[in-house]
Amino acid sequence: MITRLDQLPAKEAISPGHNACAGCGALIAVRQILLAAPRPLIVVNATGCLEVVTTPYPYTAWNVPWLHVAFENAAAAASGVEAALKVLERKGLGRRHNIIVFAGDGGTFDIGLQSLSGALERGHRLLFVCYDNEAYMNTGIQRSAATPPGAWSSTTPAGKQESKKDIMSIVIAHGVKYAATATPFLWKDLVNKVAKAFTFDGPAFLHVYAPCPRGWYTEPDKTIQLSRLAVETRYFPLYEVENGRYKINYFVTRPKPLEEFLSLQNRYRVLLRPENAELLQKLKQEVEERWKRLEALSQQREAPSSTHLVS
Ligand SMILES: Cc1ncc(C[n+]2csc(CCOP(=O)(O)OP(=O)(O)O)c2C)c(N)n1
């Protein structure tokens, strides 16, 4: 269990001088993840902000082997890397590596979902990390299936009407042995989840909440405060699912008002107008229902019987 910074096992794998915006939640989380990920390590990166800001040709900010693939097939490419290294090791010609896939919410919830599903179903030993900034940021803040109700995006100027896709439940339904949520505000929780993910001989999934100053119209120095408020309003609960058993890692008994979190983000400007009270109510209801469902699941003693476990 890591409790102090000097216990982090690895060296920096991403160097200063990348082109991320000031206060980019994704880069803060990625740095934390890479400090905790056991070596040897290979990173597979879907198209998106993370890839673009770390690799302006001919430069790279990566200090570990890194593979960029298309938006839709990062998990498939990572599966190939994992399978190839497994064979090489068996033949005495190489060594298995730990593999991390990084993809944004667009590359996970939407266009990368089929290849993620395939990798989970085949049981490849890899950690898939979705850094969720709740829109397609790299191409100009278009809505994704992760964009919450009421949020402004360039394709939902009046506020998105639909709900956020429940990616964790989709992943868990594949029977993965380990899936968890995390956010850079609680770095110890995040790094310990990364270390734990690699103790399973199969696929693991980490859903990381990553505030985006550019896309959310927030101040760069508010990123950690926002990731904290997301947890403390119950908007983004921190939990893990190990062998089908749910556990809440940060129990929020008295949630802060959701408005406290929303009002710091200019993307909710329209939602907070009186005429949109109904949409705000929808978002609040979803937050509460998610929490209640999670509480109920975490109180179950047995793993749900429908869950099969991939080994
Ligand atoms: C098949 C395909 N469609 C569209 C694009 C254009 N594109 C590049 S990055 C991107 C958005 C990525 O969004 P997300 O995965 O959420 O990551 P973020 O940019 O927010 O980091 C899009 C639509 C592409 N590269 N390939």
Side-chain angles (χ1 to χ4, degrees), residues 47-51 71-72 103-108 111 131 133 135-139 142 144:
T47 295
C49 281
L50 178 65
E51 166 256 323
F71 203 23
E72 55 273 57
D105 47 291
T108 307
I111 199 163
Y131 64 94
N133 51 28
Y136 291 68
M137 294 310 178
N138 187 240
T139 41
Q142 295 90 4
S144 80

Side-chain angles (χ1 to χ4, degrees), residues 2-5 8 32 183-191:
I2 298 158
T3 55
R4 296 193 321 264
L5 282 173
L8 287 167
Q32 294 175 353
T183 185
F185 139 63
L186 267 190
W187 70 268
K188 289 180 203 171
D189 173 76
L190 186 149
V191 296

Side-chain angles (χ1 to χ4, degrees), residues 10-18 30-31 34-35 39-43 54-55 59-67 97 102:
K11 288 202 180 114
E12 299 277 3
I14 193 134
S15 56
H18 55 66
V30 166
R31 183 178 175 208
L34 293 171
L35 282 167
R39 305 305 200 255
L41 181 69
I42 292 176
V43 170
T54 55
T55 55
Y59 304 106
T60 178
W62 295 90
N63 289 328
V64 286
W66 177 86
L67 173 69
H97 282 55
F102 285 116

Side-chain angles (χ1 to χ4, degrees), residues 108-155:
T108 307
F109 287 60
D110 297 334
I111 199 163
L113 188 62
Q114 45 75 24
S115 70
L116 168 62
S117 173
L120 300 180
E121 182 264 331
R122 289 187 303 271
H124 293 279
R125 186 179 177 278
L126 51 85
L127 171 62
F128 191 105
V129 177
C130 170
Y131 64 94
D132 183 3
N133 51 28
E134 302 194 314
Y136 291 68
M137 294 310 178
N138 187 240
T139 41
I141 325 174
Q142 295 90 4
R143 63 89 91 180
S144 80
T147 307
W152 175 93
S153 75
S154 57
T155 47

Side-chain angles (χ1 to χ4, degrees), residues 143-149 160-165 282 286:
R143 63 89 91 180
S144 80
T147 307
K160 190 187 167 193
Q161 302 295 309
E162 301 82 14
S163 305
K164 178 168 178 142
K165 197 188 270 184
K282 173 182 160 89
E286 283 182 12

